[in-house]
Amino acid sequence: MSKNNSKPESPDLAYRRIVVKLGTSLLTGGSHQLNQEVMANLAGQIARLHEQGVETVIVSSGAIAAGRHKLGLTRTIKGIPFKQVLASVGQSRLMNTYEQLFGQHNITVAQALLTKADISHRAGYLNARNTLLALMELRVVCIVNENDVISTDEIKEARFGDNDNLSAMVANLVDADMLMMLTDTGGLYTADPSRDPGARLIPLVTKIDASIKRLGASTASDVGTGGMITKIEAAQLATASGVHVVIANGQEPDIILKLASGEPIGTHFTSTAGNLESRQRWMLSGLCTRGKLIIDNGAASALKKQNRSLLSPGIQKAEGRFSRGDIIDIYDTEGIHLGCGITNYSSSDISIIKGSHSNKIASLLSFDYGPEVVHRNNLALLEREETSAHRSTLSLQH
């Protein structure tokens, strides 16, 4: 078997399937063009993991920066169509660079351009998942990016559109063990380290709450589209899918190898769920949620402790517009996200039957899809077990 298809195992590595997100500021070295030396070093590290049997997917920024450099533009010109042109020019140059660098290690690369719409529906999600898994099985390193040419999400800097959140989606898709978000900073700090010399690195986050998000509300990079807050949002999604997440400085020597070996570098976010089924990962990804249900304490307890279905008497409020068969988020009265599920009734139906006994549904609506608003088989529930005022764990309820 050739080196490109062999898959030796290394007992020294803590993670076997890794998604590596490479930010624009890292790939350009803070300039307005791709830094070949930096990219060669990162590719070399991934190649060494590849030789040890690690499956790796890269989510790479840098296409717009590459396009800007190719066209000789050194200043930022705002406007969605123009940036889409830059992405179109730069994407092929970005891929060509990766192909050359990994070719030196006898590794085949592939390209996958995704948009939110591509994986918002179950069929598209499964198609993308199956393709990425097949590429890994063939020992191909896939380079994933947002399809900026047709998608305006990233160009508008919408929070799902940035590559931080895309990397979390990819980690969700492939059941990754670890998501490395590599940038030009050491991780999450108690304050902005560029402004406050007393800022301290936070090595471990076990719960992503409002206080952590406030710390992450930092200024975006001059050449990237995201900031620390988008990385924290991405970490929240990935950890809920059972993925260990780390934010670290990609300029540190052998950083990818060190993190794959389990070294405590950067800021680590512990996963809050075990191994999830693909369908549950898709539901929890938030890609397709169309609305929200607020339920009372009794209903919340029945879901969390008794593995019961969600019935109409426990529903206090329906928010958003959704139809029967849509995925909706479920929250308790304190605003805690309990999970999500596939609803048997539309938002307009629920506004009529909420708080009413299930045996009154037929008379209230003139039809009846059953007593369960969300059946327990269609629930992906995150149970929060408070261990202290500031720490909690999440476990998936089947």
Side-chain angles (χ1 to χ4, degrees), residues 15 167-168 171 177-181 203-205 208 231-232 234-240 242-248 265-271:
Y15 303 94
S167 69
D177 299 322
M178 171 182 265
L179 167 60
M180 298 181 189
M181 288 190 282
L204 180 65
V205 175
I208 300 175
K231 291 174 178 56
I232 291 174
Q236 188 170 36
L237 168 60
T239 55
V243 182
H244 185 93
V245 178
V246 60
I247 302 172
I265 303 171
T267 299
H268 289 251
F269 299 79
T270 55
S271 62

Side-chain angles (χ1 to χ4, degrees), residues 287-307:
L287 287 167
C288 301
T289 51
R290 299 288 185 259
K292 177 193 297 187
L293 294 181
I294 311 297
I295 65 174
D296 62 26
N297 293 336
S301 178
L303 296 185
K304 293 188 295 183
K305 298 180 180 179
Q306 301 173 37
N307 195 27

Side-chain angles (χ1 to χ4, degrees), residues 374-388:
V374 180
H375 194 279
R376 64 179 178 272
N377 292 340
N378 290 324
L379 276 170
L381 186 65
L382 296 171
E383 182 180 351
R384 191 176 298 266
E385 300 174 349
E386 295 295 339
T387 57
S388 71

Side-chain angles (χ1 to χ4, degrees), residues 140-199:
V140 174
V141 173
C142 187
I143 316 295
V144 181
N145 201 351
E146 182 92 3
N147 192 344
D148 295 334
V149 176
I150 63 172
S151 172
T152 61
D153 279 351
E154 179 172 356
I155 310 299
K156 289 181 179 178
E157 298 182 10
R159 288 183 175 174
F160 178 75
D162 64 85
N163 275 345
D164 291 326
N165 279 287
L166 177 61
S167 69
M169 288 295 107
V170 173
N172 175 295
L173 278 169
V174 302
D175 305 344
D177 299 322
M178 171 182 265
L179 167 60
M180 298 181 189
M181 288 190 282
L182 302 183
T183 182
D184 57 356
T185 186
L188 177 63
Y189 288 80
T190 56
D192 187 341
S194 66
R195 300 178 181 178
D196 185 350

